[in-house]
Amino acid sequence: MKIFVCLKHVPDTAINIKVVGINGYEDSELKFIPNPYDEYAIEEAVSIVEKQGGEVVLVTVGKEAAQATIRGAMAMGADRAILVKTDSQFLDSSLTAKALKAAIESDGLPDMIFTGKGSVDTEGFQTQYRLAHALGMPIVNEVSVLTLEGEKILAQRETGSGEKQVIETQLPCMIGATKGLNEPRYPKFPAIMKAKKKQIKEIDLSELGIDTSKGQVAIEKLEAVPERSGAKMLEGSVDEQMTELVRILKEDEKVL
Amino acid sequence: MDQIKIKTGVLIEIENGAVKETSLGVMTAAAGQDIYALILGRDASAVNAPSVNAPSVNAPSVKDKLAEYGAGTIVSISGAEDLSAYPDLQALALASAVKEYNFETLLGTASATGRDIFARLAAILDAPLVSDCVEINIEEKIVKKSHFSGKTMATLKANGSIFLCTIRPNSIEPVAAATAGQLVEFTADTQSTGLIKIVETKKATKGLLDLTEAPIVITGGRAIKAAENYGMLETCAQKLGAAVGASRAAVDAGFAPHSMQVGQTGKTVSPKLYIACGVSGAVQHYAGMKTSKVIVAINEDKDAPIFSKCDYGIVGDIFDVVPVLTEKL
Ligand SMILES: Cc1cc2nc3c(=O)[nH]c(=O)nc-3n(C[C@H](O)[C@H](O)[C@H](O)COP(=O)(O)OP(=O)(O)OC[C@H]3O[C@@H](n4cnc5c(N)ncnc54)[C@H](O)[C@@H]3O)c2cc1C
Ligand SMILES: Nc1ncnc2c1ncn2[C@@H]1O[C@H](COP(=O)(O)O)[C@@H](O)[C@H]1O
């Protein structure tokens, strides 16, 4: 099995985002992490290859700084990686998908491609579908249970209200991972050392022949959302507090 | 002067024979435009039927409901074959309706189903898509949505002749805007690729509300101590019309399934009211619920971080407080 995992390099979700200019954010001092849902994708790919043999290749479209994120993620057991370098903080999803497609095709088509269900920075929820369509591969997203039976794939996804769908497809295919699929491993020291020697091939976005002026969605403005402050603490007996709370929710907030 | 109305398709979701409240909100997002309510596949059979599971026999039919909320035209879309088992066919059928009616804008709900079908459609049409918008200006093709788990709000502008957008549940309150509502049938020219098929649908054992779409969410953290104690929250939720959520600590301890987790690695919820019971307020939890309109926290520790991030705080034991709240509702 040859498996690609699309890994996005995103700001640590525990960290504050400082907006600079009208539509950018300060990223040079910021701690970056692998997109959390992509970690489920890596874990699933690595555990399939551990069982069936083959290789796991990470592919990232991002700034040079994504090297560090890729290196860390390779310690989870990926064999090598490709970084498509861009200068943009927010690359349009359709362009990202084109870049991923070009990088994957130049390396040779895989049996499977894993992605996360969505990225936690731009929350786009679409790159994987665009890539799947461009490659002519079926895709199932938000998968929390995956079964491989030879060429046949059964992927379970949740559709709301606790309802679950089991979708059947076959190789080659794409899977968007979400929580529940597995427990991403915590790399141990030897794996981290080994990852240091693994290859990260770099390609410049400009080498892929993609017209980057043709973005579909432009980010016009980015604004910090003020944090909540000064909560109203209720007082009195439990009974008094709940009477007051219900009154507030009904009359002042009008949410009941 | 009359404003030029923009042809806007709205994908309607139907549950238990009734139009989902969230779909009515999406129609309101398109208020003033030339609205076509689109009903796909298995949902289409419900168009003329009185809502089957609705409480009253006089419940308006799906068609009447859609007309009441502004749909000038209601398009029942079917395929050459049954669409319901094929997510890719549903997207193809929708793509063919887009071409047939020349929509400039297509809106849907940012639900699990809506998100999936819109992303498939955007790929097929190679058109701009913005998921999970909280505000939309259809004329300008400008939307607002959260970036970085609600830490920032981004304003995005789409280029191109058609613009796709899913709207975050509960972000736009449905407002009635009655029209005559004409019903038309459209048979899409679709052929199955045979590549993916829904082979089984597992219904929830309990009649749970969907976390991401519920107008109210009540969440139990590690403090809930045991799976059976969620019963206390469920009783309260029933009175509130709420969905029940959990923190990761509660999920990892085995008190609740993954599907109930709210937060960075769980679900993002944006209800009108969020009640956190025995949740400390870690950033990763907050990331999944901070865009809620009103946040109420119940925690026995007056210094719990959640109290610096909520609107109303109650210092107390959840096992004392929640039953009293339930009783007062
Ligand atoms: C990469 C990553 C991703 C994560 N993703 C998520 C996520 O998606 N969702 C998420 O929730 N967390 C997530 N976390 C975990 C998060 O950091 C916290 O550990 C978690 O949210 C804590 O859950 P909790 O508040 O229920 O538990 P605790 O932090 O243990 O808090 C329990 C609270 O209950 C109070 N309490 C105890 N007993 C009572 C009682 N009887 N009555 C009233 N109050 C009581 C305590 O005072 C305390 O404040 C993630 C962490 C990481 C590192
Ligand atoms: N720049 C990127 N590099 C690699 N993979 C990406 C990139 N952007 C998105 N993806 C993949 O596509 C998924 C969905 O991303 P998004 O459409 O941004 O929500 C992510 O979970 C990643 O697996």
Side-chain angles (χ1 to χ4, degrees):
Chain A
M1 280 272 228
K2 177 176 184 180
I3 308 182
F4 273 95
V5 182
C6 300
L7 167 68
K8 193 174 187 186
H9 160 78
V10 299
D12 186 343
T13 49
I15 272 167
N16 254 335
I17 298 291
K18 192 174 147 229
V19 174
V20 289
I22 51 165
N23 61 359
Y25 65 100
E26 208 299 304
D27 66 2
S28 59
E29 306 277 292
L30 220 52
K31 184 180 168 224
F32 275 70
I33 56 168
N35 182 43
Y37 298 108
D38 303 354
E39 290 192 293
Y40 300 113
I42 300 175
E43 178 61 43
E44 200 64 16
V46 168
S47 60
I48 291 172
V49 163
E50 279 171 350
K51 284 190 212 103
Q52 309 198 354
E55 67 166 346
V56 176
V57 188
L58 305 181
V59 54
T60 299
V61 180
K63 288 186 159 185
E64 175 74 40
Q67 277 264 3
T69 301
I70 297 173
R71 193 64 74 191
M74 287 217 280
M76 288 178 71
D79 298 287
R80 54 192 178 88
I82 303 172
L83 168 62
V84 179
K85 280 192 297 177
T86 137
D87 296 329
S88 172
Q89 280 185 329
F90 299 107
L91 193 62
D92 180 271
S93 304
S94 65
L95 297 176
T96 305
K98 287 194 174 102
L100 290 169
K101 173 178 186 264
I104 289 170
E105 278 179 342
S106 73
D107 196 83
L109 285 175
D111 302 294
M112 288 187 94
I113 303 174
F114 280 93
T115 72
K117 77 156 181 189
S119 56
V120 298
D121 54 353
T122 54
E123 308 173 20
F125 293 108
Q126 53 185 282
T127 310
Q128 63 277 51
Y129 291 87
R130 293 183 187 274
L131 177 61
H133 185 77
L135 293 172
M137 281 187 178
I139 177 164
V140 187
N141 196 34
E142 299 200 49
V143 173
S144 55
V145 182
L146 185 71
T147 320
L148 273 66
E149 298 169 2
E151 298 284 297
K152 185 170 120 182
I153 306 285
L154 290 172
Q156 180 173 303
R157 64 189 299 265
E158 223 194 293
T159 49
S161 316
E163 187 187 280
K164 295 182 177 94
Q165 283 176 348
V166 181
I167 296 186
E168 184 182 318
T169 184
Q170 63 268 318
L171 297 178
C173 70
M174 282 187 64
I175 298 291
T178 192
K179 167 143 192 170
L181 188 58
N182 51 48
E183 227 15 272
R185 69 194 67 188
Y186 198 76
K188 297 206 173 65
F189 186 69
I192 295 169
M193 293 312 290
K194 214 173 136 196
K196 292 200 164 139
K197 298 197 197 77
K198 291 178 181 170
Q199 182 211 0
I200 302 179
K201 181 179 163 189
E202 291 197 5
I203 307 174
D204 220 77
L205 180 63
S206 60
E207 291 165 36
L208 295 175
I210 297 164
D211 182 357
T212 51
S213 67
K214 291 236 173 79
Q216 294 180 335
V217 179
I219 167 153
E220 300 224 307
K221 199 158 65 176
L222 196 65
E223 293 160 281
V225 174
E227 292 287 336
R228 283 182 162 78
S229 63
K232 180 178 161 67
M233 301 301 288
L234 301 184
E235 279 162 17
S237 67
V238 172
D239 203 276
E240 287 161 354
Q241 289 188 41
M242 288 306 107
T243 305
E244 174 64 358
L245 180 66
V246 172
R247 188 202 62 76
I248 291 172
L249 296 177
K250 279 191 179 144
E251 293 169 19
D252 301 349
E253 300 286 358
K254 301 189 169 56
V255 290
L256 285 189
Chain B
M1 202 181 75
D2 257 3
Q3 168 212 15
I4 298 172
K5 291 186 176 181
I6 294 177
K7 259 194 168 186
T8 303
V10 175
L11 180 63
I12 302 299
E13 293 185 19
I14 291 178
E15 193 170 57
N16 298 332
V19 178
K20 281 202 196 173
E21 195 71 12
T22 45
S23 288
L24 298 178
V26 179
M27 288 220 286
T28 302
Q33 309 300 346
D34 187 6
I35 302 178
Y36 287 65
L38 311 176
I39 304 175
L40 262 184
R42 70 174 160 176
D43 286 349
S45 59
V47 177
N48 273 315
S51 313
V52 268
N53 288 355
S56 149
V57 275
N58 293 322
S61 74
V62 167
K63 174 183 171 288
D64 293 347
K65 190 84 182 177
L66 293 172
E68 185 189 338
Y69 282 84
T73 313
I74 296 141
V75 189
S76 156
I77 305 173
S78 52
E81 51 201 307
D82 178 24
L83 299 174
S84 58
Y86 304 96
D88 52 351
L89 270 192
Q90 292 173 19
L92 280 171
L94 213 46
S96 101
V98 165
K99 293 209 178 82
E100 172 79 14
Y101 295 97
N102 282 313
F103 296 128
E104 281 181 63
T105 312
L106 201 74
L107 307 182
T109 312
S111 60
T113 317
R115 272 212 308 254
D116 186 64
I117 199 164
F118 268 68
R120 290 182 192 278
L121 185 61
I124 294 169
L125 298 172
D126 193 19
L129 162 67
V130 184
S131 314
D132 232 356
C133 300
V134 294
E135 259 179 64
I136 177 164
N137 177 332
I138 292 178
E139 288 91 9
E140 305 286 338
K141 294 196 171 90
I142 289 180
V143 293
K144 281 193 172 184
K145 71 164 293 179
S146 144
H147 263 20
F148 304 107
S149 321
K151 288 190 204 106
T152 63
M153 190 58 76
T155 306
L156 306 170
K157 186 170 169 65
N159 312 308
S161 54
I162 168 151
F163 172 39
L164 311 182
C165 174
T166 59
I167 307 281
R168 175 170 281 194
N170 302 310
S171 60
I172 295 166
E173 194 75 34
V175 179
T179 57
Q182 181 203 356
L183 181 65
V184 298
E185 308 259 339
F186 173 68
T187 308
D189 176 24
T190 52
Q191 229 176 13
S192 173
T193 56
L195 286 175
I196 75 172
K197 181 176 182 183
I198 301 168
V199 289
E200 191 186 345
T201 303
K202 302 177 183 173
K203 292 269 173 228
T205 40
K206 296 181 216 167
L208 298 171
L209 274 180
D210 183 41
L211 255 185
T212 49
E213 289 180 59
I216 301 177
V217 173
I218 180 165
T219 294
R222 196 199 304 271
I224 202 86
K225 290 195 186 78
E228 56 273 20
N229 292 339
Y230 274 100
M232 172 176 84
L233 300 186
E234 280 161 20
T235 313
C236 187
Q238 241 156 29
K239 279 203 161 174
L240 284 165
V244 181
S247 70
R248 170 150 159 188
V251 170
D252 289 350
F255 306 155
H258 293 303
S259 56
M260 274 170 64
Q261 184 177 317
V262 171
Q264 180 199 302
T265 39
K267 298 211 164 111
T268 303
V269 301
S270 194
K272 285 186 269 189
L273 172 62
Y274 188 88
I275 307 177
C277 307
V279 173
S280 60
V283 280
Q284 295 91 351
H285 186 80
Y286 200 57
M289 42 64 92
K290 76 172 283 186
T291 57
S292 306
K293 185 163 171 254
V294 177
I295 300 176
V296 173
I298 306 169
N299 196 301
E300 64 182 7
D301 173 8
K302 69 172 183 14
D303 298 320
I306 188 113
F307 286 136
S308 62
K309 299 170 180 169
C310 68
D311 300 298
Y312 300 96
I314 294 113
V315 179
D317 187 325
I318 55 169
F319 296 101
D320 295 336
V321 176
V322 176
V324 180
L325 171 61
T326 308
E327 184 195 305
K328 303 269 174 203
L329 289 167

